Amino acid sequence: MVNRYGFSAWRRVAALLLAGVFISGGAAAHQKTTQAAESLSFTPPAGSNVVTVVTREYGFSMPDSIPAGLTTFMLKDEGKENHHLMVVRLDEGKTMADVMAVFTHPGGPPPMWMHPIGGPNTPGPGGESNVTLMLKPGRYVAFCVIPAPDGKPHVMHGMITPFIVTPGNGQTAALPKPDVTITMQDYKFVMSQPITAGRHVIEVINAGSQPHELTITRYDSGQGNRDLEAWAYDPHGKPAPGYGMGGITDIAPGEHAVMQIDFKPGKYGFICFTPDMKDGKPHFMHGMQKEFVVR
């Protein structure tokens, strides 16, 4: 959606074309527009640098320099299609040309010099999502690999931007204390406790042996993860079941981040669409999905 993936970046894109989480089937997005009010009750964590990222077709509006330390990425999708924020730290000496070569010349093992650290997953057009994490100094790239109506990932339409994380000012702030923890394992989501209606500060931990992502969807009555997965393989121009609620894009093993989300009563689902290191199948095909009801 690149370091330690066990598959090429292009296979990641191809898997998304198949898994199709919230793929658009035409010029206008077919996913139901997220109800933005559900994610607007946002309180910046104490001591966090809030970086607002505005997405449209096909680009990001965001700073080109960010200080190291506690950072909150606030994604605002002002486009007609779904967008997310993949954040990757590069090893020293690597450039944008090296990154683009990964996408334009796919194949072979993934580059070990790209380190996925997570970012806000898609909230749907008109929506907002957020992720708070610790940024280390270095060179980074942000990109989106959700497919466009022509089937090409957004990054191939220019939706990629570099930025530099400069040394911090010496002040330190910790990640906010969560009230719910979601642990991503190979291959399941484990919640520390049930999620209730209202705003929650949620910690996401990757305790697995490979990268994972968390997509969060709210469903109407009678819908569920199987409907979304089935639609993803055969959309036929129909709207995707459910409403995008954000989540976190691919994050490497051992990493963790925090997000704030407002939950209304109803049925929800977690899904990981990241392809497996061994067979390339999306992780939900290995059972990495979960449904639950918020009361």
Side-chain angles (χ1 to χ4, degrees):
M1 243 180 191
V2 208
N3 174 36
R4 312 177 196 141
Y5 278 23
F7 54 91
S8 71
W10 191 257
R11 284 181 63 191
R12 170 65 163 157
V13 171
L16 284 168
L17 289 169
L18 291 174
V21 55
F22 305 142
I23 290 175
S24 300
H30 286 298
Q31 180 205 356
K32 298 176 182 178
T33 301
T34 189
Q35 297 184 357
E38 291 179 278
S39 59
L40 291 180
S41 179
F42 174 74
T43 302
S48 177
N49 176 34
V50 180
V51 177
T52 300
V53 181
V54 178
T55 62
R56 302 182 183 90
E57 291 75 49
Y58 291 107
F60 297 108
S61 174
M62 64 178 291
D64 56 13
S65 178
I66 301 172
L70 190 66
T71 305
T72 298
F73 287 103
M74 170 62 77
L75 176 65
K76 297 184 177 183
D77 188 347
E78 295 186 358
K80 296 180 179 180
E81 299 179 30
N82 297 278
H83 300 292
H84 62 191
L85 187 70
M86 295 281 294
V87 183
V88 173
R89 188 178 73 254
L90 307 179
D91 280 352
E92 186 175 356
K94 294 301 179 179
T95 66
M96 275 287 287
D98 296 316
V99 175
M100 290 310 301
V102 173
F103 293 103
T104 56
H105 302 288
M112 297 298 293
W113 44 266
M114 298 180 76
H115 308 269
I117 66 167
N121 224 323
T122 177
E128 298 180 1
S129 59
N130 64 85
V131 165
T132 299
L133 42 74
M134 299 297 295
L135 280 182
K136 299 177 182 178
R139 293 184 177 274
Y140 290 72
V141 291
F143 52 88
C144 177
V145 296
I146 292 178
D150 64 3
K152 295 180 180 179
H154 290 168
V155 65
M156 299 306 294
H157 286 282
M159 200 165 185
I160 181 170
T161 186
F163 65 95
I164 296 175
V165 175
T166 60
N169 57 12
Q171 297 180 351
T172 59
L175 285 167
K177 184 178 180 180
D179 57 89
V180 176
T181 297
I182 300 172
T183 302
M184 301 189 296
Q185 300 177 358
D186 306 331
Y187 303 93
K188 60 183 178 180
F189 298 101
V190 179
M191 292 193 293
S192 61
Q193 62 187 55
I195 295 176
T196 56
R199 185 176 69 89
H200 289 278
V201 177
I202 301 175
E203 180 181 32
V204 182
I205 301 173
N206 185 355
S209 63
Q210 56 183 300
H212 292 294
E213 71 166 346
L214 170 65
T215 62
I216 305 175
T217 307
R218 183 170 64 81
Y219 294 110
D220 288 331
S221 177
Q223 297 177 332
N225 285 346
R226 288 188 177 181
D227 297 289
L228 179 58
E229 293 161 4
W231 172 89
Y233 282 97
D234 191 19
H236 281 312
K238 298 179 293 186
Y243 302 83
M245 293 287 293
I248 187 168
T249 55
D250 285 13
I251 187 169
E255 299 289 344
H256 63 126
V258 170
M259 57 190 180
Q260 294 182 33
I261 298 182
D262 286 352
F263 287 88
K264 290 184 176 181
K267 183 179 180 179
Y268 291 79
F270 296 158
I271 301 180
C272 178
F273 287 90
T274 301
D276 191 67
M277 294 173 64
K278 297 178 181 179
D279 60 18
K281 294 179 180 179
H283 285 161
F284 74 80
M285 295 185 70
H286 289 278
M288 196 165 180
Q289 61 87 28
K290 184 181 185 67
E291 293 182 348
F292 59 98
V293 175
V294 172
R295 306 185 187 283

